Amino acid sequence: MVVKEMRDDEAVIAMVDANMQRETILPSEKAFAYKMKLEAMKHQGKASRQLVGKLETADLVGRSTDESGRQVQRYIRLTYLI
């Protein structure tokens, strides 16, 4: 077992990336995972500009799962419906 010291935001990103590797994941789980990762990236300062920054950050979130930034934003919108 390897223990690695991380900040909270880094741990959230690592956890989301690991969970997204699962074979079956519900759309609601994917939505909340994307939202958590996006918020963690914002706290780390990886979001650049306000207006375009959301799409750029969403693109970064979707890269690990081959989703477009637009699709990531659609998933995140699901979290407000539930």
Side-chain angles (χ1 to χ4, degrees):
M1 176 166 38
V2 176
V3 177
K4 184 177 177 184
E5 190 171 323
M6 297 180 167
R7 293 188 185 112
D8 289 343
D9 294 330
E10 293 170 336
V12 167
I13 292 170
M15 183 236 0
V16 168
D17 288 342
N19 284 338
M20 295 302 280
Q21 301 301 317
R22 291 188 352 223
E23 217 172 282
T24 56
I25 185 167
L26 297 173
S28 60
E29 292 174 322
K30 191 181 278 192
F32 281 105
Y34 283 152
K35 185 176 182 179
M36 288 173 65
K37 186 172 180 177
L38 188 70
E39 290 299 317
M41 291 176 79
K42 283 181 184 178
H43 289 144
Q44 285 185 329
K46 291 186 179 178
S48 53
R49 295 174 293 228
Q50 275 300 343
L51 184 58
V52 182
K54 279 186 178 178
L55 184 59
E56 289 174 354
T57 307
D59 286 328
L60 291 174
V61 170
R63 277 192 190 152
S64 61
T65 57
D66 294 329
E67 301 269 5
S68 69
R70 204 70 198 141
Q71 187 65 28
V72 168
Q73 288 179 332
R74 288 185 190 112
Y75 275 111
I76 291 173
R77 272 189 258 150
L78 288 175
T79 64
Y80 296 105
L81 299 175
I82 297 172

